[in-house]
Amino acid sequence: MPSATDRLSQILLKNKVVTEDQLARALLRQKETGASLGRVLLELGMVKENQLAELIAKELGLEYVDLLEYKINIQATTSIDEAMARRYNCIPIDFQDGKLVVAMADPTNIYALDDIRLSTGYEVKPVVSARDDILNAIQRYYHLDTDVVEAVLQERQEEEAEGISGVVDDTPLVRFTTTMVAEAINRGASDIHIDPRENEVLIRYRIDGVCQEIKRLPKNIHDGIVSRIKIISDLNIAERRVPQDGHFAMVSQGKSIDFRVAVLPTVYGEKVVMRILDKSSILLRLEDLGFLPEALEKYRQAFMKPHGALLVTGPTGSGKSTSLYATLNVLNTEHKNITTVEDPVEYRLAGINQVQVNPKAGLTFANALRNILRTSPDILMVGEIRDRETAKTAIEAALTGHLVLSTLHTNDAPSALPRLIEMGVEAFLVSSAINCVMAQRLVRKLCPNCKVPYEPDLEVLKALQFPLDDMDELVLYKANENGCSRCGGTGYKGRIGLYEVMPMSDEIKKLTVKEASATTIMKQAKEEGLITMRDDGFTKVKMGITSIEEVMRVVAI
């Protein structure tokens, strides 16, 4: 079998890329240096990197991929570890027809192809890319660069030796922060957590609502990272005793990304959380959020009314804002004057007036809402009802011919009504103004590629009040403990909503006026056919979308 050097020599001569004299000179240089023939040709300037890659692809009948232009599938890159990628000068870039697409500098390396196939379980479809582009992609898509970490550590040690503190403009530190942020965006993280411990620092990303540890760093790198983030967030780097909030923005892959930064002093140093907000225009559809047909119809009937208030409740990170944005996309027509007041403006929606709260300038939710009402809006969205003044203004707006959408922090839909009354809104106003309350949570979806069927324990299901009427024909699924390459080894991929939609019936309105408890209202709502979030979740368990463990993680018994 001819060697790789012989094969490349024949390709070059056949396509008249080099002359025989040039090839002889390159082969002589190769013997002297021990480098590959391709690397020698590049160093001598006889060929260009992309030209060489395209030539190899053409000769082998393979596809050439320009990694600078190709949108790499971040899930594919997790199929193999960084060590293997560097060993074979390759990187997985996509999935096609059940095969793993791998960009390679040398697609004739059968040992690499066999190794990747055995380690991933996928048939491999090799494509050809420039070697330098592959190395750059490995640098960009794999874990935070160890070389950068070591460089930052060395810089900090030198500063400590020289008695310097607070130096934050060194190149390794800038590179480290940029790499950390870019990797989080590529992985689809919603938050970056920098957690100081007694002897180390943890870097964690929140992906699909769950924190995942990415890297552990030496403790003496911590202050430099925090100071760098404070600088770009316009925070006081000298102040380490009190919490601070800031923000910064960047453009990634053509999208405007906003970062909300929170710094919290702890016993081991300052903890930093960066919330990642994609501010680009989006088109969300209610049908894509996970509504069951009955719940969606009830919700749609509520927001299609010309006036009244619609509340979405749940804890932080439960997808409330996403549901409201999807609702606004349905309501957004040229005939409607729609205005929102938010903190922060998470998405940009064309054709809608969006107001950013600015407490320092005196622009609070309540103040902004009062002024917006002077602009003759048809539909209002209040990002969150936080206080009595905002609550009363929103309810009054709903009673004076406006459709008001807003969010509230309660555990379930019935609890929203007593909560508003506790905030100081008269019970009869709450009863008259509210059209519907919807509570929601987000659960992770089982990875469709590796989810595992299993026989559940019936006693456990009974204890959880899981419906057992059709268990004879039902197949339940759980997450694969080891996951697969498509889900990054977690067993879950993506999230879906659990919804509890409670329209305001006449009986519930009467209970509200009487200031009944949330328990009493819940009992009445169930008698009227309310599907609770737990029931909604169990239906999605039966459908094979999520697991019982996920439902019970976010919904109380």
Side-chain angles (χ1 to χ4, degrees):
M1 180 182 291
S3 66
T5 298
D6 291 336
R7 290 196 300 272
L8 181 56
S9 298
Q10 294 171 8
I11 292 171
L12 293 168
L13 290 174
K14 177 183 176 181
N15 289 273
K16 299 180 180 180
V17 176
V18 297
T19 64
E20 290 187 358
D21 289 341
Q22 287 176 317
L23 180 60
R25 185 156 57 94
L27 290 170
L28 181 61
R29 178 72 174 271
Q30 182 194 20
K31 290 181 180 179
E32 295 172 353
T33 62
S36 67
L37 177 58
R39 181 53 51 189
V40 169
L41 291 166
L42 291 170
E43 290 175 353
L44 294 175
M46 294 180 181
V47 295
K48 294 181 179 180
E49 181 99 27
N50 59 343
Q51 179 189 16
L52 185 61
E54 285 187 85
L55 187 63
I56 293 172
K58 179 182 177 182
E59 190 67 24
L60 297 175
L62 298 175
E63 180 183 356
Y64 167 76
V65 173
D66 185 352
L67 294 182
L68 297 178
E69 300 292 334
Y70 195 90
K71 186 175 181 180
I72 294 177
N73 183 337
I74 190 66
Q75 293 298 331
T77 64
T78 62
S79 304
I80 65 174
D81 60 28
E82 184 178 0
M84 180 179 287
R86 291 190 181 277
R87 181 163 66 250
Y88 295 128
N89 288 312
C90 68
I91 182 169
I93 61 172
D94 215 342
F95 297 101
Q96 289 182 8
D97 301 324
K99 295 182 179 180
L100 183 65
V101 182
V102 181
M104 308 180 70
D106 179 15
T108 64
N109 188 337
I110 58 174
Y111 301 105
L113 294 171
D114 285 343
D115 203 350
I116 295 169
R117 179 172 52 80
L118 290 172
S119 66
T120 64
Y122 285 100
E123 286 299 316
V124 178
K125 177 185 176 181
V127 296
V128 185
S129 295
R131 183 181 301 270
D132 286 349
D133 290 348
I134 291 173
L135 294 176
N136 288 335
I138 292 173
Q139 179 88 355
R140 190 165 67 251
Y141 285 93
Y142 280 90
H143 289 318
L144 300 177
D145 189 352
T146 303
D147 294 336
V148 176
V149 174
E150 292 176 352
V152 176
L153 182 57
Q154 182 179 351
E155 291 283 347
R156 304 310 295 176
Q157 290 171 340
E158 291 174 358
E159 290 167 10
E160 291 170 2
E162 296 173 8
I164 302 173
S165 62
V167 178
V168 294
D169 57 352
D170 48 331
T171 300
L173 203 49
V174 173
R175 286 176 56 203
F176 176 84
T177 306
T178 303
T179 302
M180 176 177 63
V181 169
E183 182 186 11
I185 294 171
N186 287 333
R187 289 193 175 202
S190 60
D191 306 283
I192 303 172
H193 292 253
I194 300 170
D195 296 318
R197 298 291 187 261
E198 184 175 7
N199 299 310
E200 60 188 359
V201 181
L202 268 60
I203 304 294
R204 298 188 297 165
Y205 297 158
R206 187 182 296 279
I207 301 173
D208 289 337
V210 177
C211 284
Q212 299 179 16
E213 182 180 318
I214 302 301
K215 204 171 190 68
R216 292 174 181 256
L217 305 171
K219 184 60 182 287
N220 54 351
I221 204 176
H222 173 256
D223 288 347
I225 298 172
V226 175
S227 295
R228 173 61 189 167
I229 293 170
K230 283 184 175 181
I231 285 289
I232 61 179
S233 305
D234 197 24
L235 299 178
N236 184 355
I237 65 170
E239 181 56 75
R240 301 183 180 182
R241 300 165 297 175
V242 298
Q244 297 188 65
D245 294 312
H247 67 92
F248 66 94
M250 65 179 290
V251 176
S252 175
Q253 299 178 356
K255 293 183 178 180
S256 175
I257 309 292
D258 193 41
F259 293 82
R260 295 284 157 164
V261 179
V263 181
L264 181 70
T266 71
V267 291
Y268 294 126
E270 292 178 290
K271 172 184 172 67
V272 178
V273 177
M274 292 183 279
R275 187 180 180 195
I276 304 172
L277 304 172
D278 181 353
K279 299 175 70 174
S280 304
S281 294
I282 57 169
L283 290 176
L284 295 168
R285 297 187 337 127
L286 286 168
E287 292 81 2
D288 297 333
L289 300 183
F291 281 94
L292 295 177
E294 183 179 345
L296 180 57
E297 182 56 31
K298 288 181 179 179
Y299 183 63
R300 190 182 297 276
Q301 288 176 5
F303 70 71
M304 292 306 290
K305 292 182 179 179
H307 54 78
L310 190 156
L311 300 180
V312 181
T313 76
T316 300
S318 60
K320 300 186 300 295
S321 296
T322 301
S323 294
L324 289 183
Y325 281 123
T327 305
L328 288 178
N329 275 329
V330 177
L331 296 170
N332 187 14
T333 69
E334 60 181 12
H335 306 296
K336 298 290 185 181
N337 178 17
I338 303 176
T339 304
T340 74
V341 52
E342 307 169 61
D343 184 24
V345 175
E346 296 187 28
Y347 302 108
R348 301 277 176 87
L349 298 176
I352 292 178
N353 310 295
Q354 294 176 273
V355 178
Q356 170 73 53
V357 165
N358 187 352
K360 292 181 180 178
L363 188 61
T364 62
F365 274 113
N367 189 20
L369 192 51
R370 282 196 305 271
N371 286 279
I372 288 169
L373 288 172
R374 299 190 186 112
T375 65
S376 186
D378 297 302
I379 300 170
L380 289 166
M381 188 187 91
V382 184
E384 182 183 342
I385 294 178
R386 297 178 178 176
D387 52 50
R388 178 177 180 272
E389 189 177 5
T390 305
K392 290 197 71 173
T393 307
I395 292 298
E396 288 170 1
L399 288 169
T400 54
H402 305 89
L403 179 63
V404 179
L405 312 178
S406 190
T407 69
L408 200 64
H409 288 285
T410 62
N411 290 328
D412 53 36
S415 298
L417 305 176
R419 175 69 180 131
L420 287 173
I421 296 170
E422 289 170 5
M423 294 176 75
V425 184
E426 289 84 350
F428 73 92
L429 293 179
V430 174
S431 171
S432 302
I434 304 296
N435 291 339
C436 178
V437 182
M438 180 175 75
Q440 69 175 77
R441 298 289 188 278
L442 291 176
V443 293
R444 292 180 294 173
K445 295 192 293 185
L446 289 167
C447 174
N449 188 57
C450 67
K451 63 182 180 181
V452 180
Y454 75 105
E455 285 287 338
D457 186 325
L458 292 181
E459 293 303 317
V460 172
L461 295 184
K462 288 179 182 178
L464 296 176
Q465 301 175 30
F466 190 92
L468 303 174
D469 49 344
D470 54 354
M471 289 302 294
D472 292 338
E473 302 175 1
L474 189 64
V475 178
L476 297 187
Y477 292 87
K478 63 180 180 180
N480 188 326
E481 291 183 1
N482 299 317
C484 66
S485 58
R486 298 191 185 184
C487 61
T490 65
Y492 295 95
K493 184 174 174 59
R495 289 192 288 178
I496 193 170
L498 306 184
Y499 300 98
E500 180 178 284
V501 182
M502 187 186 77
M504 289 289 286
S505 67
D506 291 338
E507 289 301 318
I508 292 176
K509 287 183 178 182
K510 290 177 183 178
L511 290 174
T512 304
V513 172
K514 294 178 182 178
E515 299 188 18
S517 68
T519 303
T520 302
I521 297 173
M522 173 64 86
K523 182 180 179 181
Q524 176 62 35
K526 285 183 176 179
E527 290 178 0
E528 295 176 2
L530 175 71
I531 299 173
T532 65
M533 283 183 288
R534 184 179 60 182
D535 293 336
D536 188 73
F538 285 160
T539 299
K540 285 161 184 168
V541 169
K542 288 184 173 183
M543 295 167 67
I545 296 173
T546 189
S547 65
I548 291 178
E549 291 78 12
E550 269 298 289
V551 174
M552 302 316 298
R553 180 177 68 86
V554 301
V555 179
I557 295 177

